[in-house]
Amino acid sequence: MKFGILVNEGPFTHQASDSAYQFTKAAIEKGHEIVRVFFYHDGVNNSNKLADPPSDDRNVVKLWSDLAAEHGVELIVCVAAAMRRGINDDLLAAGFKISGLGQLVEAGIIGDRLVTFGD
Amino acid sequence: MEDFEDNEFDGPIKKFMYVNRKAPYGTVYALEGLEVVLITAAFDQDVCLVFVDDGVFQIKKDQETTGINMKNFSPTYRALEGYDVEKIYVEKESLESRGFSEDDLVIPVEILSSAEISELMDAQDVIVTF
Protein backbone atom coordinates (compact mmCIF):
# COMPACT_ATOMS: atom_id res chain seq x y z
CA MET A 1 0.00 0.00 0.00
CA LYS A 2 1.08 3.58 -0.62
CA PHE A 3 0.93 5.86 2.43
CA GLY A 4 1.10 9.63 2.64
CA ILE A 5 1.99 10.88 6.12
CA LEU A 6 0.99 14.24 7.60
CA VAL A 7 2.71 15.50 10.76
CA ASN A 8 0.94 18.45 12.39
CA GLU A 9 2.83 18.88 15.66
CA GLY A 10 6.39 19.78 16.58
CA PRO A 11 8.86 17.45 18.27
CA PHE A 12 9.02 16.79 22.03
CA THR A 13 5.89 18.68 23.21
CA HIS A 14 3.57 16.27 21.40
CA GLN A 15 3.96 12.59 20.63
CA ALA A 16 2.57 13.05 17.11
CA SER A 17 5.94 13.17 15.38
CA ASP A 18 7.23 10.13 17.32
CA SER A 19 4.09 8.18 16.41
CA ALA A 20 4.37 9.23 12.78
CA TYR A 21 8.00 8.13 12.74
CA GLN A 22 7.19 4.75 14.29
CA PHE A 23 4.32 4.23 11.85
CA THR A 24 6.43 5.21 8.85
CA LYS A 25 9.29 2.97 9.89
CA ALA A 26 6.95 0.01 10.54
CA ALA A 27 5.18 0.52 7.21
CA ILE A 28 8.48 0.45 5.32
CA GLU A 29 9.59 -2.67 7.21
CA LYS A 30 6.33 -4.37 6.20
CA GLY A 31 7.06 -3.59 2.56
CA HIS A 32 4.70 -0.63 2.10
CA GLU A 33 5.62 2.47 0.17
CA ILE A 34 5.73 5.94 1.73
CA VAL A 35 4.75 8.54 -0.87
CA ARG A 36 6.12 11.29 1.34
CA VAL A 37 6.01 12.72 4.84
CA PHE A 38 4.57 16.23 4.95
CA PHE A 39 5.21 18.54 7.90
CA TYR A 40 2.59 21.22 8.58
CA HIS A 41 1.58 23.62 11.39
CA ASP A 42 4.20 23.32 14.19
CA GLY A 43 5.22 20.06 12.52
CA VAL A 44 7.70 22.13 10.52
CA ASN A 45 9.82 22.35 13.69
CA ASN A 46 10.69 18.68 13.24
CA SER A 47 13.14 19.82 10.56
CA ASN A 48 15.20 22.14 12.77
CA LYS A 49 18.79 20.86 12.72
CA LEU A 50 19.61 22.88 15.87
CA ALA A 51 17.46 20.54 17.99
CA ASP A 52 19.78 19.17 20.66
CA PRO A 53 17.92 17.14 23.29
CA PRO A 54 19.74 15.58 26.28
CA SER A 55 21.75 12.49 25.35
CA ASP A 56 19.37 10.12 27.16
CA ASP A 57 16.39 11.35 25.11
CA ARG A 58 15.56 10.41 21.53
CA ASN A 59 16.42 13.04 18.92
CA VAL A 60 13.25 13.18 16.82
CA VAL A 61 14.84 15.37 14.14
CA LYS A 62 17.75 12.97 13.71
CA LEU A 63 15.42 9.95 13.62
CA TRP A 64 13.65 11.45 10.62
CA SER A 65 16.96 12.38 8.93
CA ASP A 66 18.26 8.83 9.43
CA LEU A 67 15.06 7.36 8.01
CA ALA A 68 15.40 9.56 4.94
CA ALA A 69 19.04 8.52 4.52
CA GLU A 70 18.32 4.80 4.94
CA HIS A 71 15.11 4.49 2.95
CA GLY A 72 14.99 7.58 0.73
CA VAL A 73 11.79 8.78 2.39
CA GLU A 74 10.81 12.22 1.12
CA LEU A 75 10.48 14.70 4.02
CA ILE A 76 8.69 17.85 2.90
CA VAL A 77 8.26 20.94 5.06
CA CYS A 78 5.48 23.39 4.16
CA VAL A 79 7.02 26.68 3.03
CA ALA A 80 4.30 29.00 4.36
CA ALA A 81 4.15 27.30 7.75
CA ALA A 82 7.97 27.22 7.90
CA MET A 83 8.39 30.91 7.09
CA ARG A 84 5.95 31.87 9.85
CA ARG A 85 8.05 29.92 12.32
CA GLY A 86 11.50 31.04 11.16
CA ILE A 87 12.46 27.76 9.50
CA ASN A 88 14.44 28.21 6.28
CA ASP A 89 16.92 26.24 4.17
CA ASP A 90 19.81 27.23 6.49
CA LEU A 91 18.10 25.49 9.42
CA LEU A 92 17.01 22.31 7.65
CA ALA A 93 18.33 19.01 8.97
CA ALA A 94 19.57 16.41 6.47
CA GLY A 95 16.87 14.84 4.33
CA PHE A 96 14.28 17.63 4.72
CA LYS A 97 13.16 19.86 1.86
CA ILE A 98 10.95 22.95 1.84
CA SER A 99 8.08 22.93 -0.64
CA GLY A 100 4.45 23.96 -1.08
CA LEU A 101 1.14 22.66 0.23
CA GLY A 102 0.54 21.13 -3.19
CA GLN A 103 2.89 18.36 -2.07
CA LEU A 104 0.41 17.43 0.67
CA VAL A 105 -2.53 17.38 -1.72
CA GLU A 106 -0.54 15.32 -4.20
CA ALA A 107 0.32 12.82 -1.43
CA GLY A 108 -3.42 12.49 -0.82
CA ILE A 109 -4.07 11.91 -4.51
CA ILE A 110 -1.23 9.47 -5.18
CA GLY A 111 -1.42 7.56 -1.89
CA ASP A 112 -3.91 4.85 -1.04
CA ARG A 113 -4.14 6.34 2.46
CA LEU A 114 -3.22 9.71 3.94
CA VAL A 115 -2.53 9.27 7.64
CA THR A 116 -2.58 12.34 9.90
CA PHE A 117 -0.60 12.58 13.13
CA GLY A 118 -1.64 15.54 15.23
CA ASP A 119 -3.50 16.81 18.21
CA MET B 1 -4.13 34.62 2.16
CA GLU B 2 -1.84 33.81 -0.71
CA ASP B 3 -2.91 33.75 -4.30
CA PHE B 4 -3.28 30.27 -5.65
CA GLU B 5 -2.91 29.50 -9.30
CA ASP B 6 -4.56 26.60 -11.00
CA ASN B 7 -2.24 23.66 -10.84
CA GLU B 8 -1.09 21.69 -13.83
CA PHE B 9 -1.35 18.39 -11.95
CA ASP B 10 -2.83 15.81 -14.24
CA GLY B 11 -4.04 12.93 -12.11
CA PRO B 12 -7.13 11.29 -10.70
CA ILE B 13 -9.80 13.32 -8.91
CA LYS B 14 -10.34 12.20 -5.35
CA LYS B 15 -12.90 13.07 -2.74
CA PHE B 16 -11.23 15.16 -0.02
CA MET B 17 -13.03 16.02 3.21
CA TYR B 18 -11.65 18.62 5.58
CA VAL B 19 -13.01 18.37 9.10
CA ASN B 20 -12.73 21.61 11.05
CA ARG B 21 -13.00 20.93 14.75
CA LYS B 22 -11.36 23.91 16.42
CA ALA B 23 -12.20 27.51 17.24
CA PRO B 24 -10.78 30.05 14.75
CA TYR B 25 -8.52 31.74 17.29
CA GLY B 26 -6.50 30.35 20.15
CA THR B 27 -4.63 27.99 17.83
CA VAL B 28 -3.55 28.32 14.20
CA TYR B 29 -5.21 25.10 12.97
CA ALA B 30 -8.27 26.77 11.45
CA LEU B 31 -6.31 29.43 9.57
CA GLU B 32 -3.66 27.08 8.20
CA GLY B 33 -6.30 24.44 7.52
CA LEU B 34 -8.20 26.84 5.30
CA GLU B 35 -5.06 27.31 3.20
CA VAL B 36 -4.97 23.57 2.53
CA VAL B 37 -8.61 23.61 1.43
CA LEU B 38 -7.91 26.36 -1.12
CA ILE B 39 -4.85 24.53 -2.47
CA THR B 40 -6.81 21.28 -2.79
CA ALA B 41 -9.48 23.08 -4.80
CA ALA B 42 -6.76 24.52 -7.05
CA PHE B 43 -5.80 20.89 -7.81
CA ASP B 44 -9.36 20.38 -9.14
CA GLN B 45 -10.16 17.80 -6.48
CA ASP B 46 -13.66 17.03 -5.18
CA VAL B 47 -13.50 18.97 -1.92
CA CYS B 48 -15.99 19.20 0.93
CA LEU B 49 -15.78 20.85 4.33
CA VAL B 50 -17.32 19.83 7.62
CA PHE B 51 -17.57 22.02 10.70
CA VAL B 52 -18.01 20.16 13.99
CA ASP B 53 -17.43 20.89 17.69
CA ASP B 54 -15.89 24.35 18.22
CA GLY B 55 -15.14 24.40 14.48
CA VAL B 56 -18.57 25.96 13.98
CA PHE B 57 -17.18 29.17 15.53
CA GLN B 58 -14.95 29.53 12.45
CA ILE B 59 -17.93 30.56 10.32
CA LYS B 60 -19.82 32.57 12.94
CA LYS B 61 -20.98 35.98 11.74
CA ASP B 62 -19.81 39.27 13.30
CA GLN B 63 -16.39 38.19 14.52
CA GLU B 64 -14.55 41.07 16.19
CA THR B 65 -10.86 40.28 16.67
CA THR B 66 -9.11 43.62 17.18
CA GLY B 67 -8.99 43.04 20.94
CA ILE B 68 -6.85 39.91 20.49
CA ASN B 69 -4.64 41.40 17.75
CA MET B 70 -5.60 38.70 15.24
CA LYS B 71 -6.78 39.11 11.68
CA ASN B 72 -10.46 38.24 11.28
CA PHE B 73 -10.17 35.69 8.49
CA SER B 74 -13.83 34.65 8.44
CA PRO B 75 -14.42 36.60 5.15
CA THR B 76 -12.07 34.12 3.44
CA TYR B 77 -14.71 31.40 3.83
CA ARG B 78 -16.90 33.42 1.50
CA ALA B 79 -14.19 33.05 -1.17
CA LEU B 80 -14.60 29.26 -1.18
CA GLU B 81 -17.42 29.47 -3.68
CA GLY B 82 -15.00 31.09 -6.16
CA TYR B 83 -12.84 27.97 -5.84
CA ASP B 84 -15.85 25.76 -6.54
CA VAL B 85 -15.90 24.55 -2.94
CA GLU B 86 -19.63 24.44 -2.42
CA LYS B 87 -20.15 21.32 -0.35
CA ILE B 88 -20.03 22.73 3.14
CA TYR B 89 -21.61 20.83 6.00
CA VAL B 90 -22.22 21.73 9.62
CA GLU B 91 -23.02 19.18 12.27
CA LYS B 92 -26.46 19.91 13.69
CA GLU B 93 -25.59 18.87 17.23
CA SER B 94 -22.50 21.12 17.36
CA LEU B 95 -24.42 24.10 16.01
CA GLU B 96 -27.39 23.71 18.33
CA SER B 97 -25.40 23.01 21.48
CA ARG B 98 -23.69 26.38 20.96
CA GLY B 99 -27.02 28.14 20.54
CA PHE B 100 -26.51 28.93 16.85
CA SER B 101 -28.70 28.53 13.80
CA GLU B 102 -27.91 28.73 10.09
CA ASP B 103 -28.64 32.49 10.20
CA ASP B 104 -25.60 33.00 12.43
CA LEU B 105 -23.15 31.75 9.78
CA VAL B 106 -21.15 33.72 7.17
CA ILE B 107 -21.74 31.20 4.36
CA PRO B 108 -24.60 29.00 3.22
CA VAL B 109 -24.22 25.49 4.58
CA GLU B 110 -26.02 22.20 4.67
CA ILE B 111 -26.85 21.11 8.20
CA LEU B 112 -26.52 17.39 8.81
CA SER B 113 -26.84 15.15 11.82
CA SER B 114 -23.85 13.42 13.30
CA ALA B 115 -25.05 10.14 11.75
CA GLU B 116 -25.39 11.73 8.29
CA ILE B 117 -21.88 13.17 8.51
CA SER B 118 -20.63 9.75 9.49
CA GLU B 119 -22.15 8.31 6.31
CA LEU B 120 -20.57 11.08 4.26
CA MET B 121 -17.18 10.26 5.78
CA ASP B 122 -17.54 6.68 4.60
CA ALA B 123 -17.75 7.94 1.02
CA GLN B 124 -14.47 9.94 1.10
CA ASP B 125 -11.05 8.99 -0.25
CA VAL B 126 -9.09 11.37 1.99
CA ILE B 127 -10.16 12.89 5.31
CA VAL B 128 -7.98 15.49 7.00
CA THR B 129 -8.92 17.00 10.35
CA PHE B 130 -7.75 20.36 11.61
Side-chain angles (χ1 to χ4, degrees):
Chain A
M1 192 174 267
K2 289 186 191 173
F3 287 103
I5 307 291
L6 171 60
V7 182
N8 284 338
E9 296 296 343
F12 306 113
T13 305
H14 295 260
Q15 198 179 336
S17 183
D18 294 275
S19 301
Y21 167 78
Q22 301 291 353
F23 180 93
T24 303
K25 189 165 171 282
I28 292 168
E29 283 164 3
K30 291 274 185 187
H32 298 293
E33 183 187 332
I34 303 297
V35 177
R36 73 175 52 102
V37 184
F38 192 87
F39 296 87
Y40 198 45
H41 301 305
D42 276 358
V44 299
N45 292 314
N46 288 289
S47 69
N48 187 340
K49 72 178 179 190
L50 299 180
D52 191 13
S55 57
D56 60 350
D57 193 3
R58 82 278 184 233
N59 185 333
V60 182
V61 176
K62 187 171 183 302
L63 287 174
W64 281 117
S65 288
D66 291 349
L67 197 69
E70 283 164 33
H71 300 286
V73 178
E74 203 178 340
L75 307 177
I76 300 294
V77 179
C78 170
V79 60
M83 284 173 71
R84 269 201 182 103
R85 294 162 176 84
I87 300 279
N88 58 34
D89 283 329
D90 296 338
L91 272 184
L92 283 190
F96 288 89
K97 282 190 208 115
I98 291 180
S99 189
L101 272 176
Q103 298 283 313
L104 168 61
V105 178
E106 197 193 66
I109 298 169
I110 295 171
D112 299 307
R113 296 282 189 281
L114 180 65
V115 186
T116 303
F117 293 86
D119 213 12
Chain B
M1 284 292 151
E2 298 161 42
D3 291 323
F4 302 114
E5 290 175 15
D6 268 352
N7 205 285
E8 297 282 310
F9 183 76
D10 187 23
I13 294 175
K14 283 197 170 179
K15 290 164 84 76
F16 280 76
M17 173 186 276
Y18 289 99
V19 184
N20 299 288
R21 296 176 297 144
K22 300 195 177 180
Y25 313 102
T27 65
V28 80
Y29 299 103
L31 176 66
E32 288 189 334
L34 186 54
E35 295 192 20
V36 182
V37 173
L38 297 174
I39 290 276
T40 310
F43 270 73
D44 292 330
Q45 298 298 299
D46 184 356
V47 182
C48 73
L49 258 66
V50 176
F51 293 90
V52 298
D53 300 339
D54 277 350
V56 300
F57 285 112
Q58 293 178 27
I59 49 172
K60 172 78 175 60
K61 271 183 191 163
D62 301 326
Q63 295 180 24
E64 171 51 59
T65 58
T66 49
I68 54 169
N69 197 26
M70 299 288 289
K71 183 183 168 189
N72 174 5
F73 64 95
S74 63
T76 311
Y77 293 98
R78 292 205 289 264
L80 288 169
E81 198 182 357
Y83 287 85
D84 293 325
V85 178
E86 288 165 344
K87 283 179 278 189
I88 300 174
Y89 308 104
V90 173
E91 192 206 40
K92 188 171 184 281
E93 292 84 344
S94 300
L95 196 66
E96 288 180 350
S97 66
R98 285 161 184 80
F100 297 160
S101 72
E102 199 175 344
D103 295 337
D104 295 308
L105 306 178
V106 293
I107 43 171
V109 300
E110 189 174 340
I111 296 173
L112 299 176
S113 70
S114 176
E116 287 169 321
I117 286 175
S118 170
E119 276 176 33
L120 209 57
M121 284 177 166
D122 273 347
Q124 305 299 315
D125 295 310
V126 179
I127 301 176
V128 182
T129 60
F130 288 117

